Amino acid sequence: MDISIVLYSHDSVGLGHARRNRPLAYALAAHLPALVGGTVRGLLIAGHPDAGRDPLPEGWDWLVLPGMTRSSDGKGFRPRRLDMHGERLRDLRSATIDAALAAFDPDLLIADRHPFGIDGELRPVLANVRARGTRTVLGLREVLDTPRVAAAEWDALGGAEQVAELLDAVWVYGDHHVYDPRLTGELPGPLARLAITTGYLGHGRPAGRPSRGRTSPKPPPPYVLTVLGGGSDGGELARIAARATLPEGHRHLLITGPQMSDADLQEVREIAAHSGDATTVVHSAPDVPELIAEAVSVVCMGGYNTLAEVMATSTPALVVPRARRRQEQPRRAAALAALGAVETLDAAGLTPQDITAWLERSVTTRTDRTGIDLDGLSVVPHLAARLLNSSVRTAPEVTSHAV
């Protein structure tokens, strides 16, 4: 049968949600056709213009919505660029999504992290697609927030039971031996009963935007790497890392992230210039997973996608998690550090000397992460096939991940 899939991410802050959906698109495009016996096409709905710059599989495309971002008080959302009231833009986005899905008629809709999108923009969409027979999935990173904050967020949506009524499944993109939101209380009973852990989306992640006209910024080895995800909140760590003293004979590549402000980027470049040519600062790179794998050490924040890429290597990692607004990153870093997969330091009080000391220690070591399940991208197509057609035989490894 021929299958149409939609993956949604609202992308109000950074690109973490779209960066999870894109490797899922590649995995589904590569493996689902053999499981369902037909073609697979897809549409990725995103809320940030930078999302659409990265390539997609053949037969897939982006639908980039007018952007919304958090208001200055952090309690709501406002248009990123359009001069119109936030509620009107939310309605415009909702109507756009609804019209697109009515025309595209997907068999499967996967929403990343937020089941109803920004200010409920997906709520009427979910009701409409389910009436047409579309299967609906909520995809979640393994850590949401503290249990108290997570419970308040589910309550604000009308309660976990109401959310669960509009879903067929919840896929948790993590290893339950590392962190299980069903046990911490972040996933209440009605949603926990729908939830399956897939393994981290680590192995098999696709490359970034094509490097046509761009060369990799990879310095001559040996080099240490600082990578800050989207970079919108990485300015302070970038400044500290740029001031660190490098181990003798090593170079330093610092990738700020495409969402770092121009002012922060300029300041980091000025700091790095004092090291002569030992530190190279770039806004972005097309081959971050390869750069992480070939670095002798990496300093990073605690975002899901960055750590999924780190976990797929043996490169020692120092994680300095963002701790404001959410406790997601500190909780993830602590869980991985407890297994010896990373080391972690708090951002508060962090100094260049701390990073200097860690680099001196780490550049001659490697880290064994073979015990962590990183095979989510090979598991999700089997889960999708099972959801779309209960008669499809699932591979044995799905059972071990899903139980």
Side-chain angles (χ1 to χ4, degrees):
M1 57 181 173
D2 296 332
I3 298 296
S4 298
I5 299 174
V6 169
L7 296 104
Y8 162 91
S9 58
H10 68 70
D11 307 313
S12 62
V13 179
L15 286 169
H17 303 283
R19 286 190 64 211
R20 265 194 299 275
N21 279 346
R22 183 172 163 270
L24 288 170
Y26 272 92
L28 291 165
H31 303 297
L32 192 56
L35 297 171
V36 298
T39 62
V40 175
R41 61 176 183 166
L43 185 68
L44 272 74
I45 299 175
H48 196 292
D50 285 346
R53 295 180 182 178
D54 280 329
L56 290 175
E58 188 72 25
W60 293 62
D61 209 343
W62 293 98
L63 171 62
V64 180
L65 303 169
M68 297 189 77
T69 190
R70 288 197 171 273
S71 54
S72 56
D73 60 10
K75 297 179 180 178
F77 297 90
R78 60 175 176 80
R80 181 178 278 119
R81 293 178 179 172
L82 282 179
D83 183 15
M84 63 189 301
H85 194 276
E87 289 186 0
R88 290 188 63 198
L89 180 53
R90 184 232 19 228
D91 293 343
L92 170 62
R93 286 168 52 113
S94 182
T96 301
I97 299 168
D98 200 33
L101 268 59
F104 195 65
D105 192 23
D107 300 282
L108 176 64
L109 168 64
I110 305 169
D112 189 82
R113 174 63 176 92
H114 296 277
F116 299 153
I118 291 179
D119 284 348
E121 66 185 5
L122 272 191
R123 194 185 292 263
V125 176
L126 284 173
N128 289 340
V129 297
R130 285 180 69 82
R132 295 194 292 267
T134 299
R135 310 306 293 268
T136 53
V137 173
L138 175 61
L140 295 176
R141 61 186 187 230
E142 86 290 30
V143 185
L144 303 182
D145 208 315
T146 64
R148 179 183 59 80
V149 169
E153 291 182 343
W154 296 122
D155 288 344
L157 297 178
E161 193 157 337
Q162 188 175 123
V163 175
E165 287 176 356
L166 291 173
L167 299 172
D168 292 296
V170 176
W171 296 342
V172 180
Y173 306 133
D175 179 348
H176 64 275
H177 294 106
V178 177
Y179 193 98
D180 193 338
R182 298 170 298 186
L183 301 181
T184 63
E186 291 157 76
L187 269 184
L191 292 168
R193 286 189 285 274
L194 293 176
I196 292 173
T197 56
T198 67
Y200 285 95
L201 309 182
H203 290 150
R205 295 176 71 91
R209 70 189 66 172
S211 55
R212 185 176 56 230
R214 303 171 66 207
T215 57
S216 171
K218 181 173 67 175
Y223 66 90
V224 301
L225 176 68
T226 298
V227 59
L228 303 170
S232 60
D233 51 6
E236 184 58 28
L237 179 55
R239 287 186 284 270
I240 293 171
R243 290 188 174 99
T245 301
L246 300 176
E248 185 176 354
H250 289 70
R251 298 179 65 84
H252 183 193
L253 175 61
L254 197 160
I255 306 174
T256 66
Q259 277 81 54
M260 181 170 285
S261 70
D262 292 339
D264 279 343
L265 176 62
Q266 181 60 31
E267 186 177 356
V268 172
R269 283 180 167 157
E270 290 172 359
I271 294 169
H274 293 296
S275 70
D277 62 353
T279 297
T280 301
V281 179
V282 298
H283 217 189
S284 62
D287 53 348
V288 171
E290 292 85 354
L291 291 169
I292 292 172
E294 295 179 19
V296 292
S297 296
V298 60
V299 176
C300 63
M301 299 179 74
Y304 179 92
N305 292 293
T306 296
L307 286 183
E309 291 168 347
V310 167
M311 290 302 105
T313 75
S314 61
T315 305
L318 175 64
V319 182
V320 183
R322 177 190 67 206
R324 57 184 182 81
R325 196 168 66 81
R326 286 194 177 276
Q327 289 300 303
E328 168 217 343
Q329 291 196 12
R331 293 171 75 87
R332 176 178 298 114
L336 289 167
L339 296 177
V342 302
E343 294 183 56
T344 183
L345 290 173
D346 290 338
L350 184 73
T351 67
Q353 291 73 29
D354 293 328
I355 293 181
T356 296
W358 182 81
L359 289 174
E360 285 287 352
R361 219 170 15 88
S362 65
V363 294
T364 57
T365 67
R366 300 307 278 177
T367 302
D368 181 6
R369 303 185 176 106
T370 54
I372 297 176
D373 184 356
L374 303 171
D375 292 329
L377 290 174
S378 63
V379 170
V380 162
H382 291 280
L383 297 178
R386 188 172 68 183
L387 193 61
L388 290 165
N389 184 350
S390 59
S391 67
V392 172
R393 238 177 124 179
T394 54
E397 66 265 28
V398 175
T399 303
S400 65
H401 286 86
V403 167

